[in-house]
Amino acid sequence: MRHLSNLYARVSGVALATGAMFAGGAVLAQATPASPSAAASSDQSGLQDIVVTAQKRSQNVQDTPLSVTALAGESLAANSITTVQELNRIDPALQIGHASGVVTTFIRGVGNPVTTAGNEASVPVYIDDVYFVRASYPFFSLGSVERVEVLKGPQGTLFGRNASGGVISIYTRDPDTMDREMSGKVGYGNYDTVSAQLYVNQPLAEGIAANLAVDVNRQNDGWGRDINTGLDTYRERHVSLRGKLLFDVAEGTTIKLIGYYQKSYNEQGAYNRAFPGTRAGYPDGLHNGFPMIPGQPSPANPQPTLGFYDTNTNFNLYDRSRGYGGSVRIDQEMGFADFVSITAIRRNKELYYSEGDYSPVDQLRYQLNTLDRQFSQEFQLKSNARSKVKWVLGAFYLNALQGYNPTDINGLGPKLLGVDNVALLGRQRIKSYAGFGQITYPLSPDTNLTGGLRYTVDKIAGLGRTTTTLSAGAAGPDPVDLTSPDFRASKTFKKWTYKGSIDHHFSPDVMMYASYSRGYKAGTFNTLPLDTAPLEPEVVDAYEIGLKTELFDRRLRLNGALFWNDISNPQVQAQRNGLVALVNAGSARTRGAEINATAVVARGLTLTLGATYLDARFRDFRGAPSYCPSPVISNDQCRAILTANGASPELVASVGNFNLNQIFIDASGNRMPYASKLKLSAGASYTIDLGGFGTASFDGSLNYASRFNWDSDNVIKEPAHTFVDAAVSVSPADLPNFSFRFWMKNITGVHNNIAYFAIANNGGYLSAPGAPRTFGGEIGFKF
């Protein structure tokens, strides 16, 4: 009863605040210039409908009782959005990073940045309704996308796994059985970047068609230079292919086969230089246990201050990836209902090659050989379009193998100790079973009640092993392998998740809703190394109230929501022995408001505005990792803390030698990482008829994010930044099959960071830079 009374009080309080928010929001939306909605298009008569499948059925986004941002493929291209990590420039509720070849996703403050294999995102990414356990960025090329849907808040009922913060769903173009098409573009940009996209659609027979999408990008010059090796840094190249074969085999029966392949090399997102404003040191034996290498600076002293895009290492850190996969989807109309089956498989081979000391001293190297395999099966039985009562029943199964096979640690430091290599094997097998259902019942022609329920059983089993290879002569004339006993552990998590909402149409163009939902992210092992029990699951209880409107003869679309998330056992980034790890905090809370507006203000001119206010804090996080000395912890304070925790006198004496020492603090009340308090997205899209010369389009956007904390100790902060992007396109009347486009991103050359990691040794506070000013031109064609 206490839980119900708290729920009533919270939703009531949110409801009272909603009127005030939208009264002010309407004025704001009409008075402030905005950026083009990536999903809405306009014509003389007003805004067009946006159809989404956020509830596993086609539905106008304005009738969907949850906060959804839908982005059409054409609008993504117009705004130069080519990768998933750029979606946060369209939706302010998103915070997306890119580290070690993996996309890290946050919605409304819920998420974590850990990229180790085995950890799954709190905001999962789906492609064509298939869940991707590991969000390796090359799989998410947006070249042939039909639309992207961003579902905010827990989606613990209808979506397959771990959607405790929300979902990003990408839908690629389906084959067209009627018309042939060949379209694409070729482009060239600064940093000697060559890009090309090709899309081909071919009807093969009555009811049968195939398509193929190809995306190629090669950046030959880096954003910066390594001052030790002289090599360019932060380069990238990738190739991705996706093909579909569609069979309308009989009336009411459709079979869709999908296959894809990607290959990539990426130096971006590697945290390999000191966070701007901090200093890194050369290796110090007191911190890493290795003897001094001949020629190594001694005693430990600071490395030189670098340019924003420069590094000082032995080699460029990189992620190299190659993968493939496919799925089979069957849609069958059964009269009383529609049946859907989705079967998917995916394999990816990945190597992350990294420094261990982040300096020109060749002391330590890591080679992370990633395991990434998955199989999934989903069945859905759902009401047909004619049914007044909308319902869906389903079952989901996932079998995935994640981890490292193995992580190799070597270099001159171990060699001087008589060790050729240390191999850390860490494998996690995931088996997930779930049954779910959701029903929407019309209480009246204008009011609907929705309830959903899901039961999930997650079984995880871990295997860890360490093999140390002694050098020849260390224990005999030949190298010797010393292998630890296997560490084996398993655990089963069982969880009910659910949803309830009510929505009411005050008129055909004004709808209000209120909802409560629970999301769940399964417990997981730390796989680097795998030698301890798994973490506890993360559970999110979410309360939301929202309003969706279309005003002034559908020339203004104004939507907004207030939200509150209670988080139990949030999974938070930490480190163990210099390697990335996860820990459970006690509890956290995020709350805030968001508003999105789209307006047709003149013929061909569309303006939009998005804004999110977020207050995200830990309620209970005792024993949170922190590092000293730091900008807020003095050397004397650090020495006192280390002494109180039994550190050796030598280690205490080394404080101040440009090395970080891990300590533990009470972070209760601290702000959560990756959670800007205020984010804005604004801009404009204008298309003009040039008479007999053709048409021209102008697209521009401005995106602001206030500062945020990179870690739970709130020591290192990312400064506030504003990005300005723009593009101009021309379609000549004399060349109806061609278009010409010039684009520029980050026009003002803002410096920002996209990844961060504090390491308890000489590396210090590490980070990876975001893209500098980039620009280029492209020629598009369509036949």
Side-chain angles (χ1 to χ4, degrees):
M1 293 298 295
R2 181 179 298 174
H3 176 75
L4 292 177
S5 63
N6 289 342
L7 170 61
Y8 175 80
R10 191 160 293 162
V11 171
S12 298
V14 170
L16 290 173
T18 302
M21 183 190 80
F22 286 113
V27 174
L28 174 66
Q30 295 178 66
T32 307
S35 101
S37 164
S41 59
S42 65
D43 58 25
Q44 205 169 347
S45 60
L47 295 164
Q48 296 180 353
D49 288 341
I50 304 171
V51 177
V52 297
T53 55
Q55 298 195 105
K56 301 296 184 182
R57 65 178 188 270
S58 295
Q59 189 177 20
N60 188 330
V61 71
Q62 293 302 103
D63 296 326
T64 306
L66 69 153
S67 183
V68 182
T69 297
L71 312 164
E74 297 88 348
S75 297
L76 290 170
N79 285 278
S80 304
I81 304 298
T82 57
T83 63
V84 168
Q85 53 265 39
E86 292 175 324
L87 291 175
N88 59 348
R89 299 192 183 188
I90 293 294
D91 189 339
L94 279 170
Q95 189 85 30
I96 302 182
H98 174 206
S100 308
V102 178
V103 177
T104 57
T105 48
F106 293 73
I107 291 181
R108 295 174 172 174
V110 180
N112 73 69
V114 175
T115 60
T116 53
N119 177 47
E120 300 171 70
S122 302
V123 181
V125 181
Y126 285 72
I127 303 179
D128 293 323
D129 291 318
V130 173
Y131 169 54
F132 276 58
V133 174
R134 183 169 171 82
S136 299
Y137 92 98
F139 285 110
F140 307 129
S141 166
L142 301 181
S144 64
V145 166
E146 177 186 322
R147 72 183 185 280
V148 174
E149 298 177 12
V150 180
L151 284 58
K152 305 167 195 176
Q155 306 298 318
T157 299
L158 292 181
F159 282 84
R161 183 172 166 82
N162 288 347
S164 58
V167 168
I168 299 174
S169 285
I170 300 170
Y171 295 93
T172 61
R173 295 177 65 181
D174 282 341
D176 186 337
T177 60
M178 301 299 293
D179 298 317
R180 296 178 180 176
E181 179 184 338
M182 183 174 71
S183 59
K185 57 187 177 182
V186 292
Y188 183 79
N190 59 335
Y191 298 102
D192 194 18
T193 303
V194 180
S195 61
Q197 292 180 358
L198 176 68
Y199 177 80
V200 178
N201 182 83
Q202 177 65 52
L204 301 177
E206 184 176 355
I208 304 175
N211 68 14
L212 175 67
V214 182
D215 183 10
V216 180
N217 190 83
R218 186 180 184 92
Q219 177 195 326
N220 296 302
D221 292 342
W223 299 338
R225 184 169 292 273
D226 190 282
I227 66 171
N228 181 50
T229 65
L231 297 174
D232 277 11
T233 58
Y234 304 116
R235 297 167 299 173
E236 186 269 344
R237 59 181 181 266
H238 71 260
V239 176
S240 66
L241 300 89
R242 180 175 294 268
K244 293 187 179 183
L245 189 58
L246 178 68
F247 298 88
D248 284 332
V249 296
E251 185 175 354
T253 304
T254 302
I255 299 176
K256 186 163 40 181
L257 308 179
I258 305 174
Y260 51 85
Y261 169 84
Q262 69 82 21
K263 180 180 179 181
S264 68
Y265 171 89
N266 188 13
E267 298 170 359
Q268 298 165 13
Y271 29 69
N272 56 356
R273 50 59 151 158
F275 190 91
T278 69
R279 299 291 295 274
Y282 290 97
D284 181 348
L286 288 172
H287 282 76
N288 52 41
F290 297 117
M292 302 295 282
I293 295 171
Q296 176 178 338
S298 179
N301 54 35
Q303 295 187 44
T305 300
L306 301 172
F308 192 81
Y309 294 100
D310 292 337
T311 59
N312 186 27
T313 58
N314 300 289
F315 54 87
N316 287 352
L317 282 64
Y318 65 83
D319 181 87
R320 188 174 63 217
S321 175
R322 178 180 295 180
Y324 64 90
S327 63
V328 179
R329 178 178 176 128
I330 303 173
D331 288 83
Q332 176 66 56
E333 296 180 7
M334 303 176 64
F336 76 98
D338 297 333
F339 171 78
V340 178
S341 170
I342 305 172
T343 308
I345 189 170
R346 187 172 67 88
R347 299 285 187 271
N348 197 51
K349 185 177 182 180
E350 181 183 346
L351 168 66
Y352 181 57
Y353 195 23
S354 173
E355 283 263 11
D357 53 272
Y358 306 97
S359 78
V361 177
D362 193 10
Q363 186 182 69
L364 205 58
R365 299 185 176 210
Y366 296 153
Q367 297 99 51
L368 283 68
N369 298 282
T370 302
L371 275 172
D372 183 12
R373 304 173 186 171
Q374 70 176 82
F375 168 83
S376 63
Q377 175 65 59
E378 182 167 358
F379 296 112
Q380 300 171 19
L381 187 66
K382 51 189 178 182
S383 57
N384 58 40
R386 300 181 301 275
S387 176
K388 291 184 178 180
V389 178
K390 306 296 183 183
W391 55 268
V392 57
L393 297 172
F396 176 79
Y397 170 70
L398 172 71
N399 189 327
L401 181 62
Q402 302 281 302
Y404 296 98
N405 192 33
T407 293
D408 290 316
I409 303 175
N410 43 54
L412 291 180
K415 192 74 173 177
L416 290 174
L417 294 176
V419 175
D420 284 345
N421 189 69
V422 178
L424 304 177
L425 176 72
R427 299 179 183 174
Q428 176 177 255
R429 172 71 69 177
I430 303 165
K431 292 185 178 180
S432 181
Y433 311 81
F436 59 90
Q438 182 168 300
I439 185 170
T440 298
Y441 183 81
L443 299 176
S444 73
D446 299 320
T447 306
N448 299 294
L449 183 66
T450 298
L453 191 65
R454 186 185 193 98
Y455 183 65
T456 302
V457 178
D458 289 318
K459 298 180 179 181
I460 59 173
L463 167 64
R465 181 190 308 138
T466 300
T467 300
T468 302
T469 302
L470 300 181
S471 306
D478 300 316
V480 176
D481 287 341
L482 303 178
T483 302
S484 70
D486 287 353
F487 175 87
R488 295 181 183 270
S490 62
K491 194 163 185 178
T492 299
F493 302 100
K494 300 177 181 179
K495 200 69 178 178
W496 288 100
T497 51
Y498 33 80
K499 174 184 179 178
S501 71
I502 187 168
D503 64 86
H504 177 73
H505 280 80
F506 296 95
S507 73
D509 296 326
V510 178
M511 188 264 280
M512 191 173 187
Y513 67 89
S515 68
Y516 163 67
S517 58
R518 167 166 284 193
Y520 154 79
K521 180 180 185 292
T524 184
F525 286 98
N526 281 306
T527 57
L528 193 63
L530 199 158
D531 59 3
T532 57
L535 276 74
E536 290 300 311
E538 174 182 279
V539 178
V540 179
D541 289 298
Y543 311 84
E544 181 175 329
I545 192 164
L547 184 68
K548 298 189 175 186
T549 69
E550 289 184 333
L551 308 171
F552 307 117
D553 196 22
R554 302 190 68 189
R555 292 183 175 274
L556 172 65
R557 180 177 291 140
L558 179 63
N559 298 335
L562 297 173
F563 58 87
W564 182 301
N565 297 319
D566 288 324
I567 311 171
S568 301
N569 298 317
Q571 297 174 3
V572 183
Q573 176 173 276
Q575 65 142 295
R576 292 180 62 215
N577 302 320
L579 299 171
V580 180
L582 280 168
V583 297
N584 282 120
S587 62
R589 178 266 298 146
T590 76
R591 61 185 178 185
E594 61 190 32
I595 187 169
N596 293 279
T598 306
V600 178
V601 297
R603 182 183 180 90
L605 176 60
T606 301
L607 305 179
T608 64
L609 170 72
T612 296
Y613 170 82
L614 176 66
D615 179 21
R617 294 181 181 274
F618 290 107
R619 283 176 161 167
D620 176 19
F621 194 4
R622 285 161 287 186
S626 186
Y627 309 91
C628 69
S630 76
V632 296
I633 301 175
S634 69
N635 290 349
D636 288 342
Q637 289 174 313
C638 183
R639 294 187 187 102
I641 293 170
L642 291 173
T643 300
N645 285 275
S648 69
E650 292 82 8
L651 184 61
V652 173
S654 74
V655 169
N657 286 348
F658 301 94
N659 291 273
L660 294 186
N661 303 270
Q662 187 170 27
I663 59 175
F664 299 93
I665 65 171
D666 185 352
S668 304
N670 281 10
R671 293 191 178 275
M672 297 177 69
Y674 294 75
S676 293
K677 197 169 187 178
L678 179 64
K679 293 190 71 179
L680 300 171
S681 177
S685 178
Y686 182 50
T687 300
I688 184 172
D689 189 341
L690 301 176
F693 295 100
T695 60
S697 298
F698 304 88
D699 295 276
S701 65
L702 181 148
N703 301 275
Y704 168 80
S706 63
R707 73 175 187 174
F708 63 83
N709 296 288
W710 279 106
D711 229 334
S712 54
D713 60 5
N714 288 190
V715 170
I716 302 297
K717 304 178 187 297
E718 179 69 15
H721 54 256
T722 302
F723 291 108
V724 180
D725 305 333
V728 179
S729 301
V730 177
S731 299
D734 293 339
L735 297 170
N737 299 113
F738 292 90
S739 62
F740 303 88
R741 183 168 179 270
F742 176 79
W743 56 269
M744 184 177 288
K745 301 180 186 180
N746 191 8
I747 293 174
T748 57
V750 172
H751 287 171
N752 75 300
N753 300 279
I754 59 173
Y756 164 88
F757 181 54
I759 185 168
N761 67 18
N762 58 286
Y765 301 101
L766 297 167
S767 62
R773 179 189 299 109
T774 56
F775 55 85
E778 60 192 32
I779 301 173
F781 59 89
K782 183 174 183 180
F783 298 95

